[in-house]
Amino acid sequence: MLICPVRGCQQALAPADHRLLCPRGHSFDVARTGYTNLLQPQDRRSKNPGDTAAAVAARRRLHDRGFTAPLLEAIATLAAPTAHDIVLDAGCGDGFYLGSLAQRLSCQGHGVDISVPAVDAAARRYPSCQWIVANADRQIPYANATFSLVLSITARMNAPEFHRVLRPDGRLLVAIPAPEDFIELRGATRDRVERTVETFRRHFNLLAHHRVTTAADLDPASVLDILLAIYRPLQSTPPTATHVTFSLDLLLFAYGGEGATI
Ligand SMILES: C[S@@+](CC[C@H](N)C(=O)[O-])C[C@H]1O[C@@H](n2cnc3c(N)ncnc32)[C@H](O)[C@@H]1O
Ligand SMILES: [Zn+2]
């Protein structure tokens, strides 16, 4: 259930004539493409926070060319969503992961991202899900225990809020870049698994860790899209075709608390 984001309100939001309305009269327009912007002025640091339209479009093209399909399959296998799940994707971007899972399984999907271009793209592409502009590092605008599955795919890590909005029988899947992710373009990065488990330890128990790795021979346009998607400043010389590795560490957690096991 969506709740009003106005500070100190948090009443339920109900649909009313192309708007969402709380009992105290706070009102939020539903955009023509179907998303709702619940971002409060105090919850953003810039006028256009989050991913730019260019980064969103670049990531979308990479998804559309199929490079990330093996990552989606690995996420689906580990999280094992069913038609009964109510799923939150925190930092959903253009909605590829949540929208694809919801289309496939007919589960209920709710995506939150701070970027208007990202949420707008998600709403256009996957109208059966609910898409919300909000800052997932602050209060996630849903009532306690709304979801049975929370996804965070190379995105936000708000452990207390994920815990609050998750049901006690729910699970959390966190995907983080593995050391070899895009190694050809940015060199090896550090292994973040231990630090990420630590971030969630107070609220969640680790159930499983799986590393998924895939690779593709990319044409220069796709290499450029990766650079845009990972926020790399563009070089003066155009990129050349390259073999590129995609690699994510997937961490599946159960709702829990202190005393987590690895
Ligand atoms: C690396 S992208 C991942 C997008 C998507 N999960 C995917 O894997 O395709 C990170 C996303 O987090 C969003 N983001 C950044 N800060 C955020 C915040 N405070 N709250 C919600 N979303 C945020 C960005 O706009 C962007 O869409
Ligand atoms: Zn309100």
Side-chain angles (χ1 to χ4, degrees):
M1 182 189 68
L2 270 173
I3 55 172
C4 179
V6 173
R7 198 181 278 160
C9 186
Q10 276 89 58
Q11 302 283 306
L13 285 175
D17 192 23
H18 303 294
R19 287 177 306 153
L20 296 177
L21 200 62
C22 89
R24 293 188 180 146
H26 302 126
S27 163
F28 304 89
D29 290 339
V30 178
R32 245 180 335 112
T33 51
Y35 72 87
T36 307
N37 191 337
L38 297 182
L39 189 63
Q40 295 295 282
Q42 70 271 12
D43 288 338
R44 63 171 177 216
R45 273 194 249 134
S46 69
K47 195 159 164 279
N48 298 305
D51 272 17
T52 60
V56 172
R59 198 169 290 115
R60 182 75 243 176
R61 287 190 292 269
L62 295 168
H63 292 317
D64 280 343
R65 288 178 199 134
F67 302 132
T68 52
L71 309 180
L72 171 65
E73 291 315 313
I75 288 167
T77 301
L78 192 63
T82 72
H84 303 294
D85 272 311
I86 305 176
V87 187
L88 170 71
D89 189 352
C92 59
D94 72 350
F96 168 70
Y97 290 104
L98 177 67
S100 303
L101 292 174
Q103 270 181 348
R104 189 187 296 186
L105 302 160
S106 304
C107 56
Q108 260 193 56
H110 303 260
V112 169
D113 200 287
I114 202 167
S115 156
V116 170
V119 173
D120 183 60
R124 287 171 194 267
R125 182 94 171 213
Y126 307 103
S128 68
C129 297
Q130 182 176 60
W131 302 103
I132 300 293
V133 178
N135 186 341
D137 289 343
R138 304 280 173 87
Q139 189 183 57
I140 295 176
Y142 285 90
N144 297 355
T146 296
F147 300 103
S148 59
L149 174 62
V150 173
L151 305 175
S152 164
I153 302 173
T154 62
R156 313 321 297 170
M157 300 221 194
N158 189 343
E161 277 295 277
F162 290 175
H163 192 259
R164 182 184 65 76
V165 299
L166 196 61
R167 294 192 329 219
D169 61 347
R171 59 215 190 276
L172 163 70
L173 185 140
V174 179
I176 49 176
E180 301 219 323
D181 195 39
F182 304 140
I183 189 168
E184 299 83 357
L185 300 175
R186 61 179 170 193
T189 52
R190 64 184 181 286
D191 189 314
R192 305 176 196 188
V193 169
E194 207 175 311
R195 199 184 63 180
T196 306
V197 171
E198 193 51 42
T199 300
F200 288 96
R201 189 182 294 279
R202 279 193 57 213
H203 299 91
F204 294 93
N205 299 322
L206 185 68
L207 293 173
H209 167 211
H210 175 67
R211 181 167 289 173
V212 52
T213 302
T214 179
D217 291 312
L218 264 55
D219 58 286
S222 299
V223 175
L224 185 61
D225 281 342
I226 291 185
L227 296 173
L228 284 167
I230 61 174
Y231 322 115
R232 285 290 141 127
L234 298 181
Q235 313 291 320
S236 47
T237 48
T240 51
T242 313
H243 186 77
V244 175
T245 304
F246 297 71
S247 187
L248 295 179
D249 280 308
L250 308 182
L251 302 171
L252 183 69
F253 296 91
Y255 184 97
E258 293 285 5
T261 49
I262 299 184

